[in-house]
Amino acid sequence: MLIQNHIVDLPTPTGTMRTYVHRPNTAGAFPAILFYSEIFQQTAPIARAARFLAGHGYAVLVPEVFHELNPIGTVLGYDDAGKDKGNADKGAKPVESYDADNRAMIDYLGQQDWFNGHLGAMGFCIGGHLAFRAALQPEVKGTACFYATDLHTNTIPNQPGQHTLERIGDITGEMLMIWGKQDPHIPPQGRAQVYQKLTDAKLSFTWHELNGQHAFMRDEGDRFDPQLSSLGYQLAFDLFSRTLR
């Protein structure tokens, strides 16, 4: 399926949020996926992943997750400087601000004739956490979280009662949780904590721990695992075909 790409700048309570839209280049209405990047925003690997999803019949929106903290269009490098800036941004943005970002994208989608009303979310790294956060929105029916960082910590600032796992009872859709067993950012005890919260909340979810490192889905760098990446996409497409089609 051929795709098209364009940019939309959405107003939010904390400023303009540039959002990259990748969708099928054909007539019709399609399910949409809110796709959340790593701390580096829409890098080339994230753009390729979004276009890959779009080519399977989805409208994919990639927001600049730290739009309040950077000039529009900022892409951080996969280097120490980019990592330091991205981690600083992660620690500076309250988790509640992402709720307003999600609402801005959902409201935008509701105005588009190419959106059929079926909505999912997906993300890598902090984007996995932000996809989990998006699942708090009642419109989100299926969510794929890849090695979601900081669900088990308080690294991302939040007000009392607003930590993402504290809001888990608001989730109504199905969750897909995928982890790398060799990922030092989410150790076994952290994964166990998330698993227990999902179980206690009686959510509909599947859980996969793969023999991969952090960022094994990123098709750049020495941690990329093509075989695991293929499996990850297969699991995500299975989720979305069941919940969004």
Side-chain angles (χ1 to χ4, degrees):
M1 178 176 285
L2 298 180
I3 63 171
Q4 57 181 293
N5 315 282
H6 67 273
I7 290 170
V8 59
D9 290 332
L10 300 176
T12 79
T14 55
T16 300
M17 178 175 66
R18 173 147 295 181
T19 302
Y20 302 86
V21 181
H22 312 273
R23 60 186 179 90
N25 190 21
T26 185
F30 304 92
I33 297 171
L34 308 180
F35 183 44
Y36 299 88
S37 70
E38 310 151 307
I39 58 173
F40 309 98
Q41 303 205 122
Q42 189 182 255
T43 59
I46 292 296
R48 287 192 291 269
R51 291 166 185 161
F52 184 69
L53 294 172
H56 286 73
Y58 298 93
V60 182
L61 274 62
V62 184
E64 291 189 340
V65 294
F66 301 135
H67 60 87
E68 306 94 334
L69 304 171
N70 296 281
I72 288 176
T74 293
V75 177
L76 301 177
Y78 289 126
D79 53 25
D80 287 342
K83 181 172 63 176
D84 290 345
K85 178 62 166 72
N87 281 323
D89 290 346
K90 179 176 69 172
K93 181 170 178 175
V95 73
E96 298 90 340
S97 294
Y98 300 107
D99 300 335
D101 293 349
N102 289 325
R103 181 47 52 189
M105 289 188 287
I106 293 170
D107 289 347
Y108 165 76
L109 283 168
Q111 301 169 11
Q112 310 309 310
D113 59 7
W114 41 261
F115 174 52
N116 70 4
H118 298 289
L119 182 63
M122 177 170 161
F124 300 156
C125 191
I126 187 181
H129 184 145
L130 299 184
F132 196 106
R133 187 78 188 186
L136 301 179
Q137 303 294 328
E139 294 89 347
V140 176
K141 302 306 181 187
T143 302
C145 302
F146 288 80
Y147 36 89
T149 57
D150 302 311
L151 279 173
H152 68 292
T153 72
N154 279 296
T155 302
I156 301 175
N158 58 89
Q159 294 296 315
Q162 287 295 315
H163 187 283
T164 299
L165 286 184
E166 292 180 298
R167 296 277 309 278
I168 197 169
D170 293 339
I171 295 175
T172 58
E174 183 176 343
M175 306 295 291
L176 167 65
M177 309 298 295
I178 298 177
W179 312 91
K181 291 170 69 175
Q182 285 75 51
D183 184 346
H185 300 289
I186 310 110
Q189 61 270 29
R191 299 196 299 270
Q193 180 181 340
V194 177
Y195 182 90
Q196 194 61 50
K197 291 286 188 179
L198 289 163
T199 301
D200 291 344
K202 296 182 171 57
L203 295 190
S204 175
F205 74 97
T206 54
W207 185 276
H208 302 270
E209 296 193 15
L210 309 178
N211 284 308
Q213 302 182 51
H214 188 73
F216 66 78
M217 295 289 292
R218 184 199 301 159
D219 66 352
E220 186 175 303
D222 57 9
R223 287 179 287 177
F224 175 50
D225 189 318
Q227 186 178 31
L228 292 186
S229 176
S230 178
L231 176 58
Y233 282 121
Q234 180 182 350
L235 291 168
F237 285 132
D238 176 67
L239 169 75
F240 294 138
S241 70
R242 287 185 290 102
T243 58
L244 307 186
R245 298 292 186 182

